[in-house]
Amino acid sequence: MRWAQRDLKYIWHPCSQMKDYEEFPPIVIERGEGLYVYDTEGKQYADIVSSWWCNLLGHCNRRINSAVKKQLDSLEHVIFANFTHKKAIELCEKLVKILPAGPEKFFFTDNGSSAIEAAMKMSFQYHAQTGNPQKKRFMALTDAYHGETLGALSAGAMDLYSRIYKPVLLDVIRVPTSDFEKTEDAFALHGHETCAIIVEPILQAAAGMKIYSPAYLKKIRELCDKYNVHLIADEIATGYGRTGKMFACEHAGISPDIMCLSKGLTGGYMPMALAAVTQKIYNAFYADYSEGKSFMHSHTYSGNPLACAAAAEVLNIFEDENILETAQENADYFSRLIREKFSSHPNVREIRSIGLINAIELAAKLPSSEGRLGYCIYREAIKNGLILRPLGNVIYFNPPLTITKAQMDFAAETAYRCLIKILPE
Ligand SMILES: Cc1ncc(COP(=O)(O)O)c(C=O)c1O
């Protein structure tokens, strides 16, 4: 039996209607190198979506590979309660130097959603232990996405993922993104009962790469201070240079109380995430054991040494190889290129760019007999060796920070050819 059929016999793929796979089976990838992955037939695909936005410095990056291999020969895993290891310590020492001033204690989890869960629980417990037990609710923005576990899904605002689960989700206070007045009203009305507001700083990625102003993020920071509400910055998708700054909070010059990191954290090598918190939050849990104030939360793979080795090497590479500076130069080139190619197409409603991320929002719908627009573009792009995974009607590019100009040319040209095949000018 061929690999794809063997896959379909047992595997239930994420975020997929498995019936689609009968007509368009999974692509069996055998190896990766830089921007590219290669299937079992040797066909090359340009991974312009960084494999769910996590591949940061190219597939099979030579330096990360050897850091992980080296770690593998000394320690693969150790329980992280009562034990520690050098790579976790090194990683935190490096991170604290580059994070916006504020978060300086690190709690390890093993994926983005679980970092959000930990952040929500920490904030709730902080208020309960500092004389504010009435603070039991969370605020989050419209168009938010924070992951798929029940707490994270409650904070998210995308019906596609949460509709069916509404009866079992938390009752989150929804704040309209970018509406300063309504945001002030929400804090005035609910600030007293709110532990934290969770935001994706500046860029709401899963909603279709929507961008809001730094001034709005600054406003949220001010309101959090006024009403004793924690600001949880979900930098899982925006961190590590994706928006042109190391962390998206830097666009607004603000610092959160809790920052969640994942994806680029390990260069996309290992499932690991962090909730970085302020000393003030940490102190509210610090007491004699008998007081019962500990954060009783754990994940088996917390602080996994292989993941920490990858994450520490990612930061070494940023330091040694001018990654941010080169990415920013390339970002200007890429956004100009995308605008030149796409802006005159009659179905392009808007083009949004930040860092190396570019999104093209389409106004069109296909007749229902022809199927879903995003999915049709995806299939056409795959035929042409490009991994585009539109978010609904939004085609986007979120490449590794090491992409070259020639690779950007290929991606923009191929995507445009696919678009006009599906939606002729
Ligand atoms: C902003 C944001 N938060 C949280 C998550 C969830 O991370 P994970 O898929 O690792 O659970 C994602 C994943 O795409 C994300 O984009």
Side-chain angles (χ1 to χ4, degrees):
M1 218 189 305
R2 293 173 68 83
W3 285 105
Q5 274 101 49
R6 285 166 66 184
D7 171 287
L8 290 177
K9 188 157 179 215
Y10 294 110
I11 297 178
W12 190 346
H13 286 269
C15 211
S16 299
Q17 172 46 264
M18 291 308 299
K19 191 159 187 259
D20 288 342
Y21 285 60
E22 285 164 21
E23 200 190 330
F24 201 67
I27 297 156
V28 186
I29 295 298
E30 191 147 66
R31 67 183 185 91
E33 190 181 338
L35 177 69
Y36 304 105
V37 290
Y38 298 85
D39 70 15
T40 43
E41 316 281 291
K43 180 169 173 178
Q44 172 181 285
Y45 303 85
D47 184 4
I48 205 74
V49 298
S50 293
S51 278
W52 260 336
W53 317 339
C54 64
N55 181 270
L56 193 70
L57 302 168
H59 289 280
C60 286
N61 178 288
R62 194 180 39 80
R63 287 185 60 178
I64 308 176
N65 281 9
S66 53
V68 174
K69 284 179 193 164
K70 191 161 168 223
Q71 181 60 41
L72 191 54
D73 282 333
S74 54
L75 176 69
E76 83 303 340
H77 188 62
V78 66
I79 180 172
F80 209 52
N82 302 112
F83 291 81
T84 189
H85 57 85
K86 289 180 187 166
K87 282 296 168 192
I89 299 164
E90 262 177 49
L91 170 64
C92 296
E93 286 173 347
K94 283 177 195 297
L95 265 174
V96 84
K97 290 195 193 131
I98 58 165
L99 284 179
E104 55 184 280
K105 293 281 184 188
F106 298 92
F107 190 87
F108 287 77
T109 69
D110 43 24
N111 60 67
S113 306
S114 66
I116 297 289
E117 300 290 333
M120 291 170 81
K121 286 175 65 181
M122 277 172 178
S123 176
F124 174 86
Q125 189 171 338
Y126 168 92
H127 290 295
Q129 290 175 180
T130 53
N132 285 305
Q134 78 289 355
K135 284 182 171 278
K136 293 178 181 160
R137 298 185 69 190
F138 296 92
M139 286 187 195
L141 301 181
T142 50
D143 288 325
Y145 179 86
H146 299 288
E148 306 289 353
T149 51
L150 289 177
L153 202 57
S154 306
M158 299 178 65
D159 252 21
L160 174 66
Y161 306 114
S162 58
R163 192 184 315 118
I164 182 86
Y165 307 109
K166 287 262 155 74
V168 292
L169 297 184
L170 299 173
D171 180 20
V172 164
I173 300 151
R174 193 63 58 199
V175 177
T177 310
S178 295
D179 188 327
F180 285 66
E181 219 175 291
K182 291 217 168 87
T183 305
E184 273 182 13
D185 292 348
F187 274 83
L189 195 61
H190 298 291
H192 69 284
E193 56 170 342
T194 300
C195 341
I197 181 166
I198 309 179
V199 304
E200 293 159 89
I202 307 295
L203 174 75
Q204 296 183 301
M209 303 297 171
K210 293 188 176 166
I211 299 165
Y212 63 83
S213 76
Y216 181 66
L217 186 56
K218 256 193 191 146
K219 180 75 196 174
I220 291 181
R221 177 68 270 179
E222 283 164 26
L223 290 166
C224 285
D225 290 340
K226 183 167 171 192
Y227 290 95
N228 186 24
V229 168
H230 288 143
L231 174 55
I232 302 175
D234 175 352
E235 292 253 15
I236 291 163
T238 54
Y240 279 80
R242 290 293 186 189
T243 69
K245 306 263 187 203
M246 193 64 184
F247 302 101
C249 282
E250 293 171 31
H251 290 282
I254 62 110
S255 190
D257 301 289
I258 307 181
M259 185 187 278
C260 296
L261 297 172
S262 191
K263 294 193 187 280
L265 173 66
T266 66
Y269 269 61
M270 298 282 182
M272 185 167 82
L274 286 173
V277 308
T278 58
Q279 187 72 43
K280 188 175 173 193
I281 293 178
Y282 177 84
N283 287 347
F285 293 74
Y286 191 87
D288 286 333
Y289 183 78
S290 56
E291 289 183 47
K293 289 186 171 176
S294 323
F295 188 49
M296 297 306 286
H297 182 107
S298 59
H299 294 286
T300 306
Y301 289 97
S302 298
N304 174 261
L306 299 173
C308 289
E313 192 59 14
V314 165
L315 292 181
N316 290 337
I317 296 172
F318 265 85
E319 226 176 88
D320 300 342
E321 298 184 19
N322 282 336
I323 297 293
L324 263 187
E325 295 75 4
T326 314
Q328 199 45 48
E329 268 171 48
N330 282 337
D332 295 338
Y333 178 83
F334 203 20
S335 67
R336 248 181 290 121
L337 183 67
I338 298 285
R339 272 156 219 278
E340 274 164 28
K341 279 254 174 295
F342 287 85
S343 52
S344 59
H345 190 288
N347 292 118
V348 170
R349 180 189 282 157
E350 189 179 50
I351 299 179
R352 300 185 277 272
S353 312
I354 188 164
L356 276 164
I357 297 174
N358 286 274
I360 300 147
E361 183 166 331
L362 302 171
K365 254 192 157 173
L366 292 179
S368 57
S369 59
E370 288 179 35
R372 294 158 279 162
L373 179 59
Y375 189 55
C376 290
I377 293 172
Y378 161 74
R379 288 180 57 162
E380 187 59 29
I382 285 295
K383 263 197 252 164
N384 288 281
L386 180 68
I387 306 180
L388 272 187
R389 256 185 125 254
L391 295 156
N393 275 17
V394 179
I395 299 175
Y396 74 88
F397 305 85
N398 187 4
L401 302 185
T402 45
I403 191 170
T404 64
K405 290 196 170 77
Q407 291 168 339
M408 290 184 253
D409 290 342
F410 168 82
E413 176 60 33
T414 308
Y416 190 70
R417 271 194 285 114
C418 296
L419 174 65
I420 55 177
K421 180 93 189 284
I422 306 294
L423 286 176
E425 281 169 298

